[in-house]
Amino acid sequence: KVTNSELYYKSINFYLAEQPMLLNELLTSIANKLDLTKTVGVLKNVGAIGLVQPFLKSAQSYNVQSVNEALNELYLDSEDFENLRTSVTEFDKFDQLGFAKKLEKHQLLEFRRIAALLFKKNKKYPESIALSKQDEQFKDAIETAMESKSGEIAEGLLRYFVTIGNKESFAACLYTCYELIEPDVVIELAWRNNLLEFAFPFLIQSLRDIKSDVVSLRKKTEELQKKEEKKSKEQVHMEVNDFMGQQYPPLMPPPPENMSGMYFQPNIMGFSPNKQEN
């Protein structure tokens, strides 16, 4: 029932001093009346941001940048990579590239994987793949190459697997990035590096798709030819009819039925009708 919004923020200091354990309950009950950015600022100034993590988590549904960044920092400080991954995946309003650069040097692998995820979400595919290769997270790298829709990136990753001799990842990359890699590149790499058995599934599927495309193209060509032939015949028929109509005008139509009892006889002025005598 309070009308002065400033009292909401003053109450934070009061609860911190008198009932700090009830602060989350207070903030949750008045969350829809608060400026969340200002609230986070007040809590940071008094050093209480860690105390209100439950409130921040409930308020994150509003997807406010200050709330997201405060929670992400708390997850990072507590090394809670599971909640951090969920947070950055579901709530996008925060400095994603800045946070990714902060995480890419983290000592724990899972946080570096989150950095690679953020680079991928922001279409920084080379940076994401480089980080995944560094940590030997080849599945992540392959998925990033596939999401990039870039033949150059996919082919580069494929050549990397050849260079390090990782045959299983070579085959996995061919399977996942099938539509991005040219068959001639695969044949050359497989032949030069004794990887034909790992490339055969890709090559067989490529030949099947090529045959399917040829059959489909042939069918469309035949249908088009039939349509063109039909159109040509119709055109010739129309031209013949036009020519015949110009050379041979239509005959005089028969007399109307109501004049069947009359005949025409010539006179000086032309023809005049006369009734037939019985």
Side-chain angles (χ1 to χ4, degrees):
K1 297 181 180 179
V2 177
T3 57
N4 186 351
S5 61
E6 287 300 320
L7 291 178
Y8 294 132
Y9 307 106
K10 291 180 180 179
S11 66
I12 294 175
N13 290 323
F14 173 80
Y15 267 75
L16 280 173
E18 301 296 332
Q19 294 288 343
M21 302 308 297
L22 296 180
L23 183 57
N24 278 289
E25 184 178 343
L26 168 69
L27 293 174
T28 302
S29 65
I30 60 175
N32 61 342
K33 301 174 183 177
L34 294 172
D35 179 334
L36 293 175
T37 299
K38 183 175 181 178
T39 302
V40 170
V42 170
L43 291 166
K44 283 184 176 180
N45 288 336
V46 296
I49 198 71
L51 182 64
V52 295
Q53 183 170 332
F55 160 70
L56 294 174
K57 196 167 184 178
S58 67
Q60 197 173 22
S61 58
Y62 295 103
N63 197 22
V64 175
Q65 181 170 342
S66 59
V67 174
N68 294 337
E69 291 179 344
L71 260 181
N72 291 342
E73 289 292 339
L74 289 174
Y75 293 144
L76 177 59
D77 292 341
S78 61
E79 297 185 347
D80 185 356
F81 63 84
E82 292 182 349
N83 276 323
L84 180 58
R85 177 177 286 270
T86 300
S87 176
V88 301
T89 301
E90 296 182 2
F91 305 100
D92 59 352
K93 288 187 178 180
F94 63 99
D95 181 8
Q96 297 190 25
L97 289 177
F99 198 52
K101 291 182 182 298
K102 186 175 183 178
L103 293 176
E104 67 178 339
K105 302 296 184 181
H106 200 281
Q107 60 181 352
L108 295 182
L109 169 64
E110 290 301 325
F111 287 97
R112 296 196 299 272
R113 291 186 67 198
I114 294 173
L117 172 65
L118 290 173
F119 282 130
K120 180 174 70 171
K121 283 169 62 70
N122 288 272
K123 303 186 185 303
K124 301 294 183 180
Y125 302 116
E127 291 88 340
S128 178
I129 291 176
L131 193 54
S132 296
K133 289 194 299 186
Q134 170 189 305
D135 291 325
E136 297 185 356
Q137 298 299 306
F138 298 135
K139 181 181 178 182
D140 292 350
I142 292 171
E143 290 177 352
T144 300
M146 182 269 293
E147 189 170 316
S148 74
K149 305 298 181 184
S150 168
E152 181 181 355
I153 290 177
E155 183 181 326
L157 183 60
L158 189 69
R159 292 183 181 277
Y160 171 77
F161 291 139
V162 172
T163 301
I164 65 174
N166 192 323
K167 299 177 180 180
E168 292 75 16
S169 294
F170 174 83
C173 186
L174 289 178
Y175 177 80
T176 305
C177 303
Y178 172 77
E179 297 181 353
L180 304 177
I181 302 174
E182 296 297 333
D184 61 312
V185 173
V186 177
I187 292 173
E188 180 184 356
L189 288 175
W191 175 61
R192 289 180 177 273
N193 298 277
N194 195 27
L195 293 169
L196 283 174
E197 62 178 306
F198 293 92
F200 263 124
F202 174 92
L203 297 175
I204 291 170
Q205 184 62 45
S206 295
L207 289 173
R208 183 179 290 114
D209 289 345
I210 290 171
K211 180 181 178 181
S212 176
D213 290 342
V214 170
V215 171
S216 177
L217 181 60
R218 182 182 300 164
K219 183 178 179 180
K220 291 180 180 179
T221 302
E222 290 175 352
E223 291 176 353
L224 183 61
Q225 288 177 344
K226 289 180 181 179
K227 290 181 179 179
E228 291 295 331
E229 289 175 0
K230 182 179 179 181
K231 183 177 179 180
S232 179
K233 288 180 180 179
E234 291 176 350
Q235 184 67 26
V236 170
H237 184 67
M238 291 175 60
E239 291 176 356
V240 170
N241 287 342
D242 291 343
F243 176 78
M244 295 296 292
Q246 294 174 5
Q247 296 295 321
Y248 305 99
L251 299 175
M252 182 180 295
E257 292 183 359
N258 60 358
M259 297 181 65
S260 59
M262 304 179 65
Y263 71 95
F264 291 86
Q265 68 176 13
N267 57 29
I268 298 174
M269 302 300 294
F271 291 90
S272 61
N274 289 306
K275 289 188 178 181
Q276 297 179 351
E277 294 181 358
N278 295 331

